[in-house]
Amino acid sequence: MTENEMSRYRDFLKDNLRLRIDFSLTDQHQGIMPPPVQKLPRVGQEMIFLPKEETFAAFHGTDLLAAISNRRSHRHFLGHPLPLTELSFLLWATQGITEILAPGFAQRTVPSAGCRHAFETYLLVNHVVDLESGLYRFLPVEHALIFEGEVENLPERLAEATLGQTFVATAPVTLAWTAIPYRMEWRYDIAAHRVIAMDAGHLCQNLYLACEAVGAGTCAIAAYHQELMDQLLQVDGHDEFTVYLAPVGKVRPA
Ligand SMILES: Cc1cc2nc3c(=O)[nH]c(=O)nc-3n(C[C@H](O)[C@H](O)[C@H](O)COP(=O)(O)O)c2cc1C
C-alpha cells in the first residue's frame, strides 16, 4: 500500500467531505420523500409476531454496571436453543422502534445519525425455540419476523462465508446486519457512509449488553466474504449489502 493510498483510506474517518457537499442538492432538500424505515415484506410473506416489551419484565433486574463490566466476546456457546422471548428482546435492544416520528423517521433503541437507521437485520436461525431453521428478517415496525426461506447446509455455508470462523456456525442464531445506504444518502449524500459505519457499532454494543441480561453471549464479526454473505442473505450487494455479523447463543444456564 502506498502512502498516498493509505492517506485516502484514512480520510474516510475524517469529516472533511461535509465541507464539499452542497446540502441544498440532497434528496431531502429537494423535497423527495424519505425512504421507508424498513424494507417492505414481499407479497404473501407472513409475519411471525414476536413476544413484545411486556414480556421482557424478567430482564429488568440486570445491573447495568455489571453488564458493562462483564461484557466479553464469546466464541463458545452451550448446546441450548435460544428461547424466542430472549431473541425478541435482543432484536428490540438492537433495532427496536420506540417511537414513530413521521413517515421515514422512527426512533429506535440505538442512536443513528439524522435518525436515518440504514440497517436491516437478518437472522440465520440454527436452533431457536419455535422457529424452523433458515433465513429470517426482522421487521422493527411490527416487531415481527418474516421467513425468507430455508438454507441448505446452513452451518457449512455460514462457516465458509465467515472465512472459516467455524464457531459462528455453531451458534443457535447469527444476526447479520445489512446497510441500505440510500436511507442515509437521502440526507447526507456522500457523507452518509462514514456515519453508517459508526451506527453499526451502536447496535452491536447494545447486543453485547442485552446478551448479559439473558445469559447469552455474542461476538462481533467484521471479517467475512462479502459476496458469499450477500448471497446467503439474498441481497443485491449494491443497494443493500452485509456490513456486520453477530452469532448469539447461551453462555450461562438459565
Ligand atoms: C468491529 C469488530 C470486528 C470484529 N471482528 C471479529 C471477527 O471477525 N472475528 C472474531 O473472532 N472476533 C471479532 N471481533 C471481536 C474482537 O476480537 C474482540 O472484541 C476483542 O478481542 C476484545 O475482546 P472482548 O470483546 O472480549 O473485550 C470484532 C470486534 C469488533 C468490535
Side-chain angles (χ1 to χ4, degrees):
M1 174 86 56
T2 65
E3 219 171 286
N4 247 350
E5 271 178 308
M6 193 63 94
S7 284
R8 252 188 331 110
Y9 285 104
R10 282 184 183 181
D11 284 346
F12 174 77
L13 287 173
K14 302 179 184 171
D15 203 21
N16 292 330
L17 277 182
R18 190 177 301 271
L19 305 179
R20 285 181 28 210
I21 298 167
D22 179 349
F23 281 94
S24 70
L25 298 178
T26 62
D27 281 0
Q28 179 178 21
H29 277 86
Q30 296 292 310
I32 294 170
M33 283 294 287
V37 297
Q38 71 188 18
K39 203 162 86 161
L40 300 178
R42 289 192 305 277
V43 176
Q45 267 185 318
E46 277 180 26
M47 290 186 202
I48 305 162
F49 292 98
L50 291 167
K52 290 222 166 145
E53 259 178 273
E54 313 79 77
T55 64
F56 302 160
F59 317 135
H60 275 173
T62 309
D63 180 325
L64 180 61
L65 293 187
I68 292 173
S69 120
N70 293 337
R71 176 221 62 80
R72 286 289 171 278
S73 294
H74 291 273
R75 298 178 182 84
H76 298 282
F77 307 106
L78 303 177
H80 309 180
L82 195 69
L84 197 59
T85 308
E86 295 183 4
L87 177 64
S88 171
F89 170 66
L90 299 178
L91 291 168
W92 174 82
T94 48
Q95 280 289 267
I97 289 186
T98 50
E99 196 180 351
I100 306 246
L101 300 173
F105 285 86
Q107 281 189 312
R108 305 199 188 202
T109 49
V110 286
S112 168
C115 202
R116 300 313 307 138
H117 296 286
F119 304 113
E120 292 288 325
T121 306
Y122 291 80
L123 298 93
L124 294 147
V125 170
N126 215 349
H127 205 191
V128 173
V129 177
D130 291 334
L131 290 182
E132 63 180 280
S133 143
L135 176 67
Y136 293 76
R137 186 162 64 84
F138 176 52
L139 300 180
V141 173
E142 295 82 3
H143 199 68
L145 296 176
I146 45 176
F147 184 54
E148 299 281 9
E150 284 172 31
V151 182
E152 229 174 283
N153 305 321
L154 175 56
E156 291 78 10
R157 285 188 66 188
L158 198 46
E160 190 188 7
T162 52
L163 306 172
Q165 300 192 72
T166 47
F167 74 91
V168 179
T170 67
V173 60
T174 295
L175 305 191
W177 293 292
T178 62
I180 298 190
Y182 178 66
R183 267 192 222 151
M184 195 65 87
E185 292 160 358
W186 172 81
R187 181 174 168 88
Y188 290 120
D189 196 78
I190 52 170
H193 313 108
R194 173 172 171 266
V195 288
I196 290 174
M198 290 174 170
D199 277 357
H202 306 140
L203 50 89
C204 198
Q205 178 67 6
N206 262 26
L207 178 64
Y208 269 89
L209 296 181
C211 276
E212 288 297 313
V214 300
T218 189
C219 180
I221 301 286
Y224 58 87
H225 188 293
Q226 188 68 49
E227 282 76 27
L228 291 182
M229 263 326 295
D230 290 344
Q231 279 167 21
L232 199 48
L233 303 183
Q234 303 170 15
V235 295
D236 69 11
H238 179 70
D239 292 321
E240 181 178 6
F241 46 84
T242 314
V243 289
Y244 213 5
L245 308 172
V248 175
K250 299 294 281 186
V251 294
R252 285 192 300 279

